[in-house]
Amino acid sequence: MPADSGKKLFVGPRFRRIRQQLGLSQTQIAEGLGISPSYVNLIERNQRPVTAQILLRLAEAYDLDLRDLATADEDRFFAELNEIFSDPLFRQIDLPKQELRDLAELCPGVTHALQRLYAAYTEARRGETMVAAQMADRDEGARFEANPIERVRDLIEANRNYFPELETAAETLRDELNVPAEELYAALSARLREKHSILTRIMPVDVMRETLRRFDRHRRQLLISELIDGPGRAFQLAFQIGLTECAGAIETIIGRAGPLDDAPRRLYRITLANYFAAAAMMPYQPFQAAA
Protein backbone atom coordinates (compact mmCIF):
# COMPACT_ATOMS: atom_id res chain seq x y z
CA MET A 1 0.00 0.00 0.00
CA PRO A 2 1.49 3.41 -0.94
CA ALA A 3 2.45 5.63 1.94
CA ASP A 4 0.78 8.62 0.28
CA SER A 5 -2.89 8.31 1.22
CA GLY A 6 -3.83 10.87 -1.41
CA LYS A 7 -2.64 8.74 -4.32
CA LYS A 8 -5.44 8.13 -6.84
CA LEU A 9 -6.11 4.93 -8.72
CA PHE A 10 -8.54 4.06 -11.52
CA VAL A 11 -9.60 0.47 -10.81
CA GLY A 12 -13.30 0.62 -11.68
CA PRO A 13 -13.85 -2.83 -13.26
CA ARG A 14 -11.87 -4.57 -10.51
CA PHE A 15 -13.75 -2.60 -7.85
CA ARG A 16 -17.06 -3.68 -9.41
CA ARG A 17 -15.96 -7.31 -9.57
CA ILE A 18 -15.08 -7.33 -5.88
CA ARG A 19 -18.43 -5.73 -5.01
CA GLN A 20 -20.30 -8.36 -7.02
CA GLN A 21 -18.29 -11.18 -5.42
CA LEU A 22 -19.33 -9.80 -2.04
CA GLY A 23 -22.97 -9.82 -3.17
CA LEU A 24 -23.43 -6.12 -2.43
CA SER A 25 -25.33 -3.41 -4.25
CA GLN A 26 -23.72 -0.06 -4.96
CA THR A 27 -25.82 1.45 -2.17
CA GLN A 28 -24.73 -1.19 0.35
CA ILE A 29 -21.03 -0.87 -0.36
CA ALA A 30 -21.33 2.92 -0.35
CA GLU A 31 -22.78 2.76 3.17
CA GLY A 32 -19.93 0.52 4.30
CA LEU A 33 -17.30 2.89 2.90
CA GLY A 34 -18.99 6.10 3.98
CA ILE A 35 -19.38 7.49 0.46
CA SER A 36 -22.37 8.13 -1.78
CA PRO A 37 -23.83 5.52 -4.17
CA SER A 38 -23.36 7.94 -7.05
CA TYR A 39 -19.65 8.13 -6.24
CA VAL A 40 -19.46 4.32 -6.27
CA ASN A 41 -21.14 4.34 -9.68
CA LEU A 42 -18.57 6.81 -11.00
CA ILE A 43 -15.72 4.76 -9.54
CA GLU A 44 -16.92 1.60 -11.27
CA ARG A 45 -17.20 3.44 -14.57
CA ASN A 46 -13.64 4.75 -14.16
CA GLN A 47 -14.91 8.32 -14.14
CA ARG A 48 -13.63 8.93 -10.61
CA PRO A 49 -10.46 7.65 -8.96
CA VAL A 50 -10.26 5.55 -5.82
CA THR A 51 -8.07 7.02 -3.13
CA ALA A 52 -5.84 4.96 -0.91
CA GLN A 53 -8.09 5.88 2.02
CA ILE A 54 -11.10 4.31 0.33
CA LEU A 55 -9.08 1.19 -0.43
CA LEU A 56 -8.09 0.92 3.22
CA ARG A 57 -11.71 1.22 4.30
CA LEU A 58 -12.64 -1.45 1.75
CA ALA A 59 -10.01 -3.84 3.11
CA GLU A 60 -10.97 -3.23 6.74
CA ALA A 61 -14.75 -3.32 6.27
CA TYR A 62 -14.82 -6.52 4.21
CA ASP A 63 -11.61 -8.25 5.31
CA LEU A 64 -10.09 -8.14 1.81
CA ASP A 65 -6.56 -8.49 0.55
CA LEU A 66 -5.81 -5.39 -1.50
CA ARG A 67 -3.84 -7.54 -3.88
CA ASP A 68 -7.25 -8.51 -5.27
CA LEU A 69 -7.15 -5.11 -6.96
CA ALA A 70 -3.84 -5.83 -8.66
CA THR A 71 -3.63 -5.86 -12.45
CA ALA A 72 -2.15 -9.37 -12.72
CA ASP A 73 -5.43 -10.97 -13.79
CA GLU A 74 -6.12 -8.34 -16.43
CA ASP A 75 -2.59 -8.69 -17.80
CA ARG A 76 -2.97 -12.46 -17.96
CA PHE A 77 -6.42 -12.20 -19.58
CA PHE A 78 -5.05 -9.73 -22.12
CA ALA A 79 -2.16 -12.07 -22.98
CA GLU A 80 -4.59 -14.99 -23.45
CA LEU A 81 -6.95 -12.91 -25.61
CA ASN A 82 -4.00 -11.72 -27.67
CA GLU A 83 -3.00 -15.35 -28.25
CA ILE A 84 -6.53 -16.34 -29.24
CA PHE A 85 -6.97 -13.52 -31.74
CA SER A 86 -3.56 -14.22 -33.25
CA ASP A 87 -5.04 -17.40 -34.72
CA PRO A 88 -5.20 -17.34 -38.54
CA LEU A 89 -8.97 -17.72 -38.15
CA PHE A 90 -9.10 -14.00 -37.22
CA ARG A 91 -6.47 -12.84 -39.70
CA GLN A 92 -8.90 -10.61 -41.61
CA ILE A 93 -10.27 -8.94 -38.48
CA ASP A 94 -8.48 -5.73 -37.61
CA LEU A 95 -8.85 -5.81 -33.83
CA PRO A 96 -6.88 -3.09 -32.00
CA LYS A 97 -4.88 -4.24 -29.00
CA GLN A 98 -6.56 -1.61 -26.87
CA GLU A 99 -9.95 -3.22 -27.48
CA LEU A 100 -8.58 -6.54 -26.26
CA ARG A 101 -7.17 -4.86 -23.16
CA ASP A 102 -10.51 -3.14 -22.53
CA LEU A 103 -12.30 -6.49 -22.87
CA ALA A 104 -9.88 -8.18 -20.46
CA GLU A 105 -10.32 -5.40 -17.92
CA LEU A 106 -14.05 -4.70 -18.22
CA CYS A 107 -15.42 -8.18 -18.96
CA PRO A 108 -13.32 -10.93 -17.35
CA GLY A 109 -16.29 -13.31 -17.52
CA VAL A 110 -16.57 -12.87 -21.30
CA THR A 111 -12.82 -13.39 -21.57
CA HIS A 112 -13.10 -16.69 -19.70
CA ALA A 113 -15.99 -17.80 -21.94
CA LEU A 114 -13.95 -16.99 -25.05
CA GLN A 115 -11.07 -19.06 -23.70
CA ARG A 116 -13.34 -22.08 -23.26
CA LEU A 117 -14.92 -21.63 -26.67
CA TYR A 118 -11.54 -21.36 -28.37
CA ALA A 119 -10.29 -24.43 -26.49
CA ALA A 120 -13.30 -26.39 -27.79
CA TYR A 121 -12.65 -25.10 -31.32
CA THR A 122 -8.99 -26.10 -31.28
CA GLU A 123 -9.93 -29.51 -29.87
CA ALA A 124 -12.45 -30.06 -32.69
CA ARG A 125 -9.88 -28.98 -35.25
CA ARG A 126 -7.28 -31.29 -33.72
CA GLY A 127 -9.78 -34.13 -33.78
CA GLU A 128 -10.44 -33.65 -37.48
CA THR A 129 -6.73 -33.73 -38.17
CA MET A 130 -6.29 -36.93 -36.13
CA VAL A 131 -9.17 -38.65 -37.90
CA ALA A 132 -7.77 -37.68 -41.28
CA ALA A 133 -4.36 -39.01 -40.28
CA GLN A 134 -5.79 -42.28 -39.00
CA MET A 135 -7.78 -42.79 -42.17
CA ALA A 136 -4.79 -42.18 -44.40
CA ASP A 137 -3.02 -45.53 -44.51
CA ARG A 138 0.66 -44.67 -44.65
CA ASP A 139 1.69 -48.24 -45.41
CA GLU A 140 2.23 -48.15 -49.17
CA GLY A 141 1.86 -51.91 -49.38
CA ALA A 142 -1.60 -51.88 -47.79
CA ARG A 143 -4.81 -51.52 -49.74
CA PHE A 144 -7.12 -48.73 -48.67
CA GLU A 145 -10.04 -46.82 -50.06
CA ALA A 146 -8.99 -43.29 -51.06
CA ASN A 147 -11.91 -41.49 -49.40
CA PRO A 148 -13.57 -43.34 -46.51
CA ILE A 149 -15.96 -40.44 -45.90
CA GLU A 150 -17.30 -40.62 -49.46
CA ARG A 151 -17.57 -44.40 -49.19
CA VAL A 152 -19.64 -44.20 -46.01
CA ARG A 153 -21.77 -41.41 -47.49
CA ASP A 154 -22.52 -43.67 -50.45
CA LEU A 155 -23.55 -46.48 -48.10
CA ILE A 156 -25.90 -44.18 -46.20
CA GLU A 157 -27.47 -42.97 -49.43
CA ALA A 158 -27.83 -46.56 -50.66
CA ASN A 159 -29.88 -47.27 -47.52
CA ARG A 160 -31.79 -44.00 -47.95
CA ASN A 161 -30.51 -43.04 -44.50
CA TYR A 162 -32.86 -45.56 -42.90
CA PHE A 163 -31.77 -48.50 -40.77
CA PRO A 164 -34.88 -50.20 -39.33
CA GLU A 165 -32.92 -52.44 -36.94
CA LEU A 166 -31.48 -49.40 -35.20
CA GLU A 167 -34.80 -47.52 -35.25
CA THR A 168 -36.50 -50.46 -33.54
CA ALA A 169 -33.72 -50.84 -30.99
CA ALA A 170 -33.84 -47.12 -30.18
CA GLU A 171 -37.62 -47.13 -29.73
CA THR A 172 -37.37 -50.22 -27.53
CA LEU A 173 -34.77 -48.45 -25.39
CA ARG A 174 -36.99 -45.40 -24.94
CA ASP A 175 -39.97 -47.59 -24.10
CA GLU A 176 -37.94 -49.41 -21.46
CA LEU A 177 -36.63 -46.19 -19.95
CA ASN A 178 -40.08 -44.55 -20.11
CA VAL A 179 -38.89 -41.09 -19.05
CA PRO A 180 -39.47 -37.58 -20.44
CA ALA A 181 -36.69 -35.87 -22.39
CA GLU A 182 -35.49 -33.84 -19.42
CA GLU A 183 -34.81 -37.04 -17.46
CA LEU A 184 -33.18 -38.93 -20.32
CA TYR A 185 -29.57 -38.26 -19.27
CA ALA A 186 -30.13 -39.65 -15.77
CA ALA A 187 -31.94 -42.71 -17.13
CA LEU A 188 -29.23 -43.45 -19.71
CA SER A 189 -26.54 -43.02 -17.07
CA ALA A 190 -28.34 -45.47 -14.79
CA ARG A 191 -28.69 -48.01 -17.60
CA LEU A 192 -24.99 -47.86 -18.44
CA ARG A 193 -24.14 -48.29 -14.78
CA GLU A 194 -26.60 -51.04 -13.92
CA LYS A 195 -26.57 -53.06 -17.12
CA HIS A 196 -23.02 -52.59 -18.37
CA SER A 197 -21.09 -51.51 -15.24
CA ILE A 198 -20.06 -48.29 -16.99
CA LEU A 199 -19.85 -45.20 -14.80
CA THR A 200 -20.49 -41.80 -16.36
CA ARG A 201 -18.45 -38.86 -15.13
CA ILE A 202 -18.64 -35.19 -16.13
CA MET A 203 -15.08 -33.89 -16.12
CA PRO A 204 -13.75 -30.31 -15.97
CA VAL A 205 -12.30 -28.85 -19.15
CA ASP A 206 -8.87 -28.66 -17.53
CA VAL A 207 -8.85 -32.45 -17.33
CA MET A 208 -10.44 -33.12 -20.73
CA ARG A 209 -8.07 -30.86 -22.64
CA GLU A 210 -7.63 -33.19 -25.59
CA THR A 211 -11.15 -34.49 -26.13
CA LEU A 212 -14.83 -33.90 -25.41
CA ARG A 213 -15.49 -37.56 -24.57
CA ARG A 214 -13.39 -40.58 -23.71
CA PHE A 215 -14.28 -44.15 -22.86
CA ASP A 216 -11.89 -45.75 -20.40
CA ARG A 217 -12.30 -49.47 -21.10
CA HIS A 218 -10.13 -50.62 -18.22
CA ARG A 219 -11.90 -48.57 -15.55
CA ARG A 220 -15.28 -48.88 -17.27
CA GLN A 221 -15.83 -45.12 -17.22
CA LEU A 222 -17.35 -42.80 -19.80
CA LEU A 223 -15.76 -39.38 -19.34
CA ILE A 224 -17.62 -36.39 -20.78
CA SER A 225 -16.34 -32.83 -20.88
CA GLU A 226 -18.28 -30.17 -19.00
CA LEU A 227 -18.23 -28.17 -22.26
CA ILE A 228 -20.97 -30.45 -23.64
CA ASP A 229 -24.48 -29.25 -22.85
CA GLY A 230 -27.30 -31.36 -21.39
CA PRO A 231 -28.73 -32.80 -24.64
CA GLY A 232 -25.20 -33.42 -25.91
CA ARG A 233 -24.37 -35.40 -22.78
CA ALA A 234 -27.46 -37.56 -23.23
CA PHE A 235 -26.46 -38.11 -26.87
CA GLN A 236 -23.00 -39.32 -25.82
CA LEU A 237 -24.54 -41.81 -23.42
CA ALA A 238 -26.95 -43.06 -26.08
CA PHE A 239 -24.00 -43.40 -28.49
CA GLN A 240 -22.16 -45.58 -25.97
CA ILE A 241 -25.25 -47.71 -25.42
CA GLY A 242 -25.58 -48.11 -29.19
CA LEU A 243 -22.02 -49.40 -29.48
CA THR A 244 -22.62 -51.78 -26.57
CA GLU A 245 -26.15 -53.09 -27.01
CA CYS A 246 -26.48 -52.87 -30.80
CA ALA A 247 -23.06 -54.22 -31.72
CA GLY A 248 -24.62 -57.24 -33.43
CA ALA A 249 -27.11 -55.20 -35.47
CA ILE A 250 -24.41 -52.72 -36.45
CA GLU A 251 -22.07 -55.49 -37.62
CA THR A 252 -24.92 -57.03 -39.63
CA ILE A 253 -25.54 -53.72 -41.41
CA ILE A 254 -21.82 -53.32 -42.07
CA GLY A 255 -21.68 -56.87 -43.41
CA ARG A 256 -24.35 -56.05 -45.99
CA ALA A 257 -22.06 -53.38 -47.41
CA GLY A 258 -19.62 -55.98 -48.72
CA PRO A 259 -15.83 -55.83 -48.34
CA LEU A 260 -14.65 -52.67 -46.57
CA ASP A 261 -11.21 -51.49 -45.55
CA ASP A 262 -10.53 -50.70 -41.91
CA ALA A 263 -10.98 -46.93 -42.18
CA PRO A 264 -14.46 -46.90 -43.79
CA ARG A 265 -15.52 -49.83 -41.58
CA ARG A 266 -14.63 -47.87 -38.42
CA LEU A 267 -16.26 -44.71 -39.73
CA TYR A 268 -19.41 -46.61 -40.76
CA ARG A 269 -19.63 -48.17 -37.28
CA ILE A 270 -19.38 -44.74 -35.63
CA THR A 271 -21.96 -43.32 -38.04
CA LEU A 272 -24.42 -46.11 -37.23
CA ALA A 273 -23.92 -45.64 -33.48
CA ASN A 274 -24.62 -41.94 -33.99
CA TYR A 275 -27.76 -42.88 -35.93
CA PHE A 276 -28.92 -45.02 -33.01
CA ALA A 277 -28.21 -42.22 -30.53
CA ALA A 278 -30.21 -39.72 -32.59
CA ALA A 279 -33.10 -42.17 -32.88
CA ALA A 280 -33.02 -42.73 -29.13
CA MET A 281 -33.03 -39.00 -28.46
CA MET A 282 -35.97 -38.45 -30.80
CA PRO A 283 -37.88 -41.69 -31.57
CA TYR A 284 -39.64 -41.63 -34.92
CA GLN A 285 -43.14 -42.61 -33.80
CA PRO A 286 -43.54 -39.89 -31.12
CA PHE A 287 -41.96 -37.40 -33.52
CA GLN A 288 -44.41 -38.37 -36.28
CA ALA A 289 -47.33 -38.12 -33.86
CA ALA A 290 -46.23 -34.67 -32.72
CA ALA A 291 -45.79 -33.55 -36.33
Side-chain angles (χ1 to χ4, degrees):
M1 173 59 61
D4 180 6
S5 62
K7 183 174 179 59
K8 298 178 180 180
L9 301 172
F10 287 90
V11 291
R14 280 162 273 158
F15 187 96
R16 179 175 63 247
R17 186 172 70 246
I18 288 176
R19 174 179 63 79
Q20 292 172 340
Q21 289 173 346
L22 291 170
L24 300 174
S25 67
Q26 290 184 343
T27 300
Q28 290 171 323
I29 201 168
E31 292 176 354
L33 298 177
I35 57 178
S36 68
S38 60
Y39 186 46
V40 170
N41 182 267
L42 292 173
I43 287 174
E44 293 187 355
R45 292 161 58 191
N46 262 352
Q47 294 183 3
R48 289 290 186 277
V50 179
T51 65
Q53 290 177 334
I54 292 178
L55 292 180
L56 283 173
R57 291 181 206 163
L58 181 67
E60 293 172 356
Y62 301 105
D63 191 25
L64 295 176
D65 186 341
L66 290 181
R67 286 175 296 183
D68 290 342
L69 287 168
T71 61
D73 282 347
E74 282 72 16
D75 291 341
R76 176 170 57 84
F77 288 161
F78 170 71
E80 292 172 349
L81 283 174
N82 193 44
E83 180 181 355
I84 290 173
F85 285 95
S86 296
D87 191 284
L89 177 69
F90 306 106
R91 183 178 295 130
Q92 297 181 351
I93 301 178
D94 184 15
L95 194 61
K97 300 295 184 183
Q98 186 58 46
E99 290 190 13
L100 292 181
R101 187 169 291 280
D102 290 343
L103 178 61
E105 183 175 351
L106 298 174
C107 307
V110 174
T111 301
H112 187 59
L114 283 173
Q115 291 167 357
R116 289 196 168 197
L117 184 62
Y118 184 72
Y121 160 73
T122 53
E123 166 58 26
R125 187 169 60 182
R126 185 184 301 113
E128 291 179 356
T129 302
M130 291 176 61
V131 169
Q134 291 171 356
M135 289 182 175
D137 189 345
R138 288 177 168 79
D139 184 358
E140 295 181 358
R143 183 182 64 86
F144 68 97
E145 299 190 36
N147 195 329
I149 296 176
E150 289 294 336
R151 180 71 176 104
V152 171
R153 183 178 293 121
D154 289 343
L155 291 172
I156 293 173
E157 292 179 355
N159 287 274
R160 302 180 64 182
N161 197 23
Y162 178 62
F163 301 93
E165 305 100 312
L166 300 181
E167 291 279 357
T168 301
E171 291 184 5
T172 299
L173 173 66
R174 285 304 296 267
D175 289 342
E176 292 176 358
L177 296 178
N178 192 27
V179 294
E182 60 270 18
E183 299 176 16
L184 183 58
Y185 171 81
L188 291 172
S189 179
R191 186 179 182 96
L192 279 174
R193 182 179 64 253
E194 296 168 4
K195 190 171 182 178
H196 305 288
S197 300
I198 296 175
L199 178 65
T200 302
R201 299 180 61 190
I202 305 300
M203 307 298 291
V205 65
D206 293 341
V207 176
M208 302 285 285
R209 287 184 178 276
E210 298 181 357
T211 185
L212 294 177
R213 78 179 297 276
R214 183 169 69 249
F215 179 53
D216 187 336
R217 296 181 181 277
H218 299 292
R219 297 181 180 179
R220 305 295 291 173
Q221 292 183 352
L222 177 61
L223 310 179
I224 299 177
S225 170
E226 64 179 348
L227 292 176
I228 302 179
D229 61 11
R233 295 174 185 180
F235 184 91
Q236 293 298 333
L237 268 62
F239 173 85
Q240 191 65 43
I241 289 176
L243 288 177
T244 305
E245 297 187 11
C246 298
I250 288 176
E251 290 304 318
T252 297
I253 295 171
I254 293 174
R256 292 201 296 261
L260 289 175
D261 289 331
D262 288 342
R265 177 179 292 275
R266 290 195 301 270
L267 183 58
Y268 198 21
R269 183 179 295 109
I270 292 172
T271 301
L272 292 172
N274 280 328
Y275 181 98
F276 170 86
M281 294 282 291
M282 190 170 61
Y284 179 74
Q285 293 300 331
F287 176 78
Q288 183 183 41

